[in-house]
Amino acid sequence: MLSDDDTVLENNFPFMTSKSLSMEDLLASLPPVHHCTYLKDTYFSVFSPLFHILHDPTFHTEYIGFLNDPNSVSLSWLAILFVILSLAIDALEQDDYILRDLVRGSNASKNVTALGRRYREAAMNCLAKNGVFWGRHDVHSLQALILLAYGMSHSQEPTWALLGMTYNVAIALGCHIDPESLPLNKIQCEERRRCFAGLMMLYTIQSTALGNLDALLQHKYDVRLPANVNDVDITESLIKLPAAGPTQMTYLLFKFQLYNLATKICQEIFASAPSRASIQDLDQQICATQELWDAQYLADSSTGAIPAYHAAHLHILHGYAHQLFLLLHRPLFAQSVLGLDIPNESQIRCIASAEALLDIHRVLCETPEYRKYLWYTNGLGSFHAFHAAVVLSVAFQMPIYRPQWRKFRSELEETVVRFDKLAERSPICAKGSRVLRFLLNLDYSKSKQRDSLVAVQPPTLISSNNSYSEAASWISATEDNLKHLSERLNPQQWLSPSAVFWNEWEKFIG
């Protein structure tokens, strides 16, 4: 059961000073076999296709051997198992019997957080006992470190130091060199390629969030991307060509390409004066990438709907694409927001992407088949939705979008309702809901005045002193609102959940 210490994040994790633990002590930290297998299967059905680092058949075979003789596995393999358990916990419903069996406490959200953290700490203890932090490395320890960093990033925990260490382990193992020239079989080669691709993706995400855009561009690695095939098509001597449609590797490969595109976008928008031509060029690159996703994922839909997990992957990909549209067009989005008679292209793109992101968030929240992905919706998915909602809040303050005001407001109100429902397990939703409710109330105080002015044209306003005074007052208030909101729309604040200046939002809403 959980102790009080499990409810507090250790400030020095993952580099804590662990006690000297025996193999028996570490094995005793595992849940009962039935629960362990249940969580393992949950990981491979939910997380493995999203971040496909392991070769599933190999791990399943090793797991059977572990069940027959727990002491036969290496500490680094045991670390992988603990990380798998920590990730799987995040996919559980709050009323899942596993949680009732493994933890006590009335707050399911805190139980999920504490139990996941306990298993991550056990994984680090395995790696420490194996001497990973003192130069004893193998592919299993690298896989464990990469999966650990992935899980911590989705839990909004700091990963930069861990990623730096993992990168050095990968280099020490020679994973920056394509394994084709090494005396390894096909499965071992693909495991190494997956490790390096996954690590580079995580490293790129973190570097971009910190504004360190050139860190990886200075290096050119001669490592091929992993093969876009299913695990069953890989044997020790042969890699078979897959059938049409997405594979277990498709999502990771698409995300790898997408984050490289994100780096290009950040380099452009962080420039002193991004050009309209470069913005349009990158816009077209995102559109072309989206078309490629649809072609790949819908290739096997001729006989009916695509499987739910592929549909979820496609929603997540498109969600991130719309997030990139919002970042890319930010420099031109608020240009002359009060003086334009016709919306500019960037405004049109941002509003369309904001509405699309909120719709994706709605689908992921309300579709029963996507319940197992609520860990994503609670984290990055809601961060993207909050970004979209703030953009839409700016749009419905703009005079040019007064005809769409009711529609925008309805979409924002529905978002607040969803955020409130997710708030217990989502810190982003808990904070974001308060901000959005403030923005809605801010606008509501002027809504009656706005309604009376929607149909009034400027000449009429000039001919009526009262109407003119009311219009001038509304425009002045709108200008103030837009000024304050625009300060919150700095693109550097929307690169990742950890980049949001929540303290500044608190000052803004009082």
Side-chain angles (χ1 to χ4, degrees):
M1 297 301 169
L2 297 179
S3 65
D4 292 339
D5 291 340
D6 287 315
T7 62
V8 180
L9 175 62
E10 296 291 343
N11 292 329
N12 56 349
F13 182 85
F15 302 108
M16 65 284 187
T17 302
S18 61
K19 298 177 181 178
S20 178
L21 299 173
S22 66
M23 184 67 167
E24 288 69 26
D25 293 330
L26 294 169
L27 290 173
S29 300
L30 290 168
V33 172
H34 172 72
H35 299 74
C36 191
T37 301
Y38 179 91
L39 291 172
K40 184 263 297 181
D41 292 342
T42 298
Y43 166 82
F44 280 101
S45 66
V46 177
F47 290 93
S48 183
L50 289 169
F51 194 64
H52 200 55
I53 300 299
L54 305 176
H55 182 253
D56 293 2
T58 297
F59 187 89
H60 292 317
T61 300
E62 293 168 341
Y63 184 75
I64 293 173
F66 163 75
L67 293 181
N68 292 330
D69 183 5
N71 287 288
S72 65
V73 299
S74 67
L75 285 165
S76 55
W77 186 92
L78 188 59
I80 295 176
L81 180 59
F82 274 118
V83 178
I84 284 174
L85 299 181
S86 73
L87 284 165
I89 289 293
D90 284 335
L92 298 183
E93 297 278 1
Q94 294 193 170
D95 60 352
D96 195 293
Y97 80 94
I98 291 289
L99 290 178
R100 296 197 304 269
D101 288 351
L102 294 180
V103 296
R104 294 194 184 117
S106 59
N107 191 313
S109 177
K110 289 183 178 179
N111 290 341
V112 167
T113 300
L115 191 58
R117 189 171 296 141
R118 169 183 281 189
Y119 289 143
R120 286 195 292 274
E121 182 174 328
M124 292 300 296
N125 285 332
C126 290
L127 295 173
K129 185 174 179 62
N130 196 48
V132 169
F133 310 127
W134 295 272
R136 295 185 60 186
H137 314 132
D138 59 20
V139 172
H140 279 157
S141 61
L142 178 60
Q143 291 170 329
L145 288 168
I146 292 171
L147 292 174
L148 184 64
Y150 175 76
M152 290 175 63
S153 67
H154 275 288
S155 298
Q156 313 306 319
E157 296 180 19
T159 61
W160 189 236
L162 179 62
L163 279 174
M165 180 182 65
T166 306
Y167 173 80
N168 289 327
V169 170
I171 297 300
L173 290 172
C175 289
H176 61 301
I177 301 171
D178 193 80
E180 193 69 29
S181 59
L182 303 176
L184 302 171
N185 62 44
K186 297 296 184 182
I187 294 175
Q188 293 170 329
C189 287
E190 287 304 302
E191 286 179 329
R192 282 172 165 260
R193 291 186 182 117
R194 291 177 183 184
C195 280
F196 203 70
L199 175 59
M200 290 297 98
M201 190 177 81
L202 294 175
Y203 207 102
T204 301
I205 297 169
Q206 189 67 29
S207 295
T208 301
L210 294 175
N212 188 20
L213 302 179
D214 296 324
L216 291 177
L217 298 179
Q218 297 172 358
H219 302 283
K220 300 295 182 182
Y221 299 106
D222 185 25
V223 186
R224 296 208 307 267
L225 288 173
N228 189 10
V229 297
N230 292 310
D231 285 351
V232 295
D233 296 320
I234 307 174
T235 66
E236 291 186 353
S237 60
L238 180 67
I239 298 179
K240 302 176 184 177
L241 293 177
T247 72
Q248 289 172 289
M249 282 302 303
T250 296
Y251 179 86
L252 186 143
L253 291 171
F254 278 150
K255 279 301 275 293
F256 185 85
Q257 297 168 356
L258 191 60
Y259 282 120
N260 286 338
L261 181 56
T263 299
K264 295 180 183 179
I265 289 171
C266 289
Q267 288 178 313
E268 183 62 36
I269 63 175
F270 293 163
S272 57
S275 68
R276 183 180 297 273
S278 61
I279 288 177
Q280 290 304 316
D281 177 65
L282 288 167
D283 182 287
Q284 291 305 307
Q285 290 186 46
I286 300 174
C287 291
T289 303
Q290 288 181 298
E291 292 175 1
L292 182 62
W293 298 339
D294 290 338
Q296 180 84 53
Y297 275 98
L298 301 178
D300 60 350
S301 63
S302 57
T303 58
I306 64 176
Y309 62 92
H310 281 326
H313 297 173
L314 195 54
H315 282 306
I316 294 171
L317 286 170
H318 279 297
Y320 194 79
H322 288 297
Q323 164 76 356
L324 291 184
F325 279 131
L326 293 181
L327 292 173
L328 175 63
H329 288 275
R330 182 61 44 74
L332 300 179
F333 169 67
Q335 189 180 77
S336 302
V337 293
L338 291 172
L340 288 177
D341 294 326
I342 300 175
N344 64 37
E345 293 175 347
S346 287
Q347 286 180 2
I348 294 171
R349 172 65 83 187
C350 282
I351 291 173
S353 286
E355 291 185 298
L357 264 173
L358 294 182
D359 189 58
I360 290 171
H361 188 262
R362 177 190 62 78
V363 170
L364 292 176
C365 285
E366 299 177 359
T367 305
E369 290 82 2
Y370 301 149
R371 292 287 301 174
K372 63 179 66 174
Y373 298 98
L374 275 181
W375 58 272
Y376 168 82
T377 308
N378 288 334
L380 198 59
S382 288
F383 165 67
H384 290 164
F386 178 59
H387 186 193
V390 172
V391 169
L392 213 57
S393 297
V394 173
F396 82 3
Q397 299 276 353
M398 296 180 186
I400 196 171
Y401 291 111
R402 283 179 297 192
Q404 285 91 356
W405 175 80
R406 295 184 188 280
K407 176 187 176 186
F408 292 167
R409 183 175 180 84
S410 176
E411 291 172 330
L412 291 171
E413 288 174 341
E414 292 172 0
T415 302
V416 171
V417 171
R418 292 196 302 273
F419 273 28
D420 286 342
K421 291 179 179 178
L422 298 175
E424 184 179 354
R425 287 184 67 171
S426 173
I428 293 171
C429 288
K431 296 174 183 177
S433 174
R434 186 165 178 263
V435 172
L436 295 180
R437 187 171 281 106
F438 172 83
L439 295 177
L440 285 168
N441 290 337
L442 181 72
D443 185 75
Y444 180 76
S445 65
K446 304 176 183 64
S447 61
K448 292 183 179 180
Q449 188 176 20
R450 180 196 299 271
D451 287 343
S452 67
L453 297 174
V454 165
V456 180
Q457 299 299 319
T460 307
L461 292 178
I462 294 175
S463 65
S464 170
N465 290 334
N466 290 336
S467 295
Y468 183 85
S469 177
E470 291 176 359
S473 175
W474 177 76
I475 290 174
S476 177
T478 300
E479 288 177 334
D480 290 340
N481 291 344
L482 286 171
K483 178 181 178 181
H484 289 302
L485 282 174
S486 64
E487 293 173 356
R488 307 279 78 79
L489 285 175
N490 186 316
Q492 284 90 336
Q493 297 184 32
W494 297 99
L495 295 175
S496 72
S498 62
V500 179
F501 293 169
W502 291 110
N503 290 338
E504 296 299 320
W505 276 112
E506 288 297 326
K507 292 179 183 178
F508 175 55
I509 67 180

